[in-house]
Amino acid sequence: DVKVTQSSRYLVKRTGEKVFLECVQDMDHENMFWYRQDPGLGLRLIYFSYDVKMKEKGDIPEGYSVSREKKERFSLILESASTNQTSMYLCASSMPEQHYGYTFGSGTRLTVV
Amino acid sequence: DAKTTQPPSMDCAEGRAANLPCNHSTISGNEYVYWYRQIHSQGPQYIIHGLKNNETNEMASLIITEDRKSSTLILPHATLRDTAVYYCIVSGAGSYQLTFGKGTKLSVIP
């Protein structure tokens, strides 16, 4: 069964910490995405990548960076975590121009205290 | 990408068909209609997509009006496990990203 795996289901970090959220897919997909989901706001795109070492800003990139050193792995980095980054983070992957191929991970619920 | 309008919530009796509407009046010729759903505490799951023809798969049917300004997702025999938020998304084939709105919260009632 094809999968997008997020490294942690729940994470608690302190304000100011550097936080890494890892995502790995086993489908050889070119595209990978990071979303955050908050009550009443739906899913919002943070960053996406359409190839190794390539990245594009989504709708809310401020306070985040990403890394895509290998095709299967896409990391989201919070350089200095803040309480307003407490959220559910969802990773997804897809083949290019085949939107029905979007596969999401189960999510990481991050709490910044 | 064109925007979509969905009702915030709907109820459906278990075993009956659930018909979820979506308006996308500004859709352009090369944009597809996609449906995803999100069951509580899980990531979204792809259901179905279409361009202008009606589509059916093992999960659902997608009916797109002739003018393509609206569509309906049909779950033919809703079960309690179909309780979820359903997202209708319109996006071009050349776009790298999908924009999720707030969706419709479907509650299947025993």
Side-chain angles (χ1 to χ4, degrees):
Chain A
D1 195 16
V2 294
K3 276 187 177 178
V4 174
T5 303
Q6 295 185 229
S7 55
S8 303
R9 187 78 171 110
Y10 298 95
L11 210 54
V12 180
K13 295 292 182 180
R14 295 193 178 278
T15 301
E17 276 193 79
K18 189 169 186 177
V19 181
F20 293 86
L21 301 183
E22 306 288 346
C23 176
V24 177
Q25 50 96 2
D26 64 1
M27 296 164 284
D28 202 34
H29 282 172
E30 269 78 13
N31 300 339
M32 296 189 75
F33 306 82
W34 275 106
Y35 289 84
R36 65 176 282 178
Q37 185 172 30
D38 301 286
L41 296 177
L43 278 83
R44 293 180 290 167
L45 181 64
I46 305 171
Y47 267 98
F48 66 99
S49 168
Y50 52 88
D51 201 354
V52 175
K53 297 191 184 294
M54 305 302 290
K55 60 184 179 182
E56 294 286 341
K57 293 180 179 179
D59 300 319
I60 51 163
E62 297 79 19
Y64 303 94
S65 62
V66 290
S67 173
R68 184 115 181 254
E69 296 296 319
K70 293 184 178 181
K71 190 176 185 179
E72 68 270 19
R73 185 180 297 270
F74 192 35
S75 303
L76 180 69
I77 304 156
L78 287 67
E79 296 288 343
S80 177
S82 64
T83 55
N84 63 12
Q85 292 179 310
T86 291
S87 186
M88 169 68 85
Y89 290 87
L90 290 157
C91 176
S93 72
S94 78
M95 291 295 285
E97 301 184 3
Q98 292 184 21
H99 298 286
Y100 61 86
Y102 272 59
T103 303
F104 281 83
S106 298
T108 296
R109 185 165 293 282
L110 173 67
T111 302
V112 183
V113 298
Chain B
D1 293 340
K3 290 187 178 179
T4 61
T5 304
Q6 298 178 254
S9 64
M10 292 181 62
D11 292 339
C12 178
E14 187 179 16
R16 303 298 292 268
N19 296 278
L20 292 91
C22 180
N23 287 319
H24 31 79
S25 58
T26 60
I27 192 170
S28 60
N30 67 345
E31 289 183 314
Y32 287 75
V33 180
Y34 303 87
W35 283 84
Y36 282 73
R37 74 179 183 183
Q38 187 173 23
I39 296 169
H40 183 62
S41 297
Q42 297 181 23
Q45 175 191 23
Y46 163 81
I47 300 173
I48 199 167
H49 78 291
L51 183 62
K52 52 184 176 181
N53 297 321
N54 297 339
E55 302 287 344
T56 295
N57 62 20
E58 65 277 5
M59 289 182 68
S61 295
L62 174 61
I63 308 298
I64 302 174
T65 58
E66 194 168 341
D67 63 7
R68 302 208 325 122
K69 293 185 176 182
S70 65
S71 60
T72 301
L73 179 75
I74 301 172
L75 308 178
H77 305 286
T79 71
L80 299 179
R81 287 176 292 182
D82 292 322
T83 292
V85 177
Y86 287 77
Y87 298 97
C88 169
I89 301 163
V90 171
S91 186
S95 174
Y96 284 115
Q97 58 176 297
L98 301 177
T99 301
F100 286 75
K102 296 184 179 179
T104 295
K105 184 173 182 179
L106 175 69
S107 298
V108 180
I109 301 167

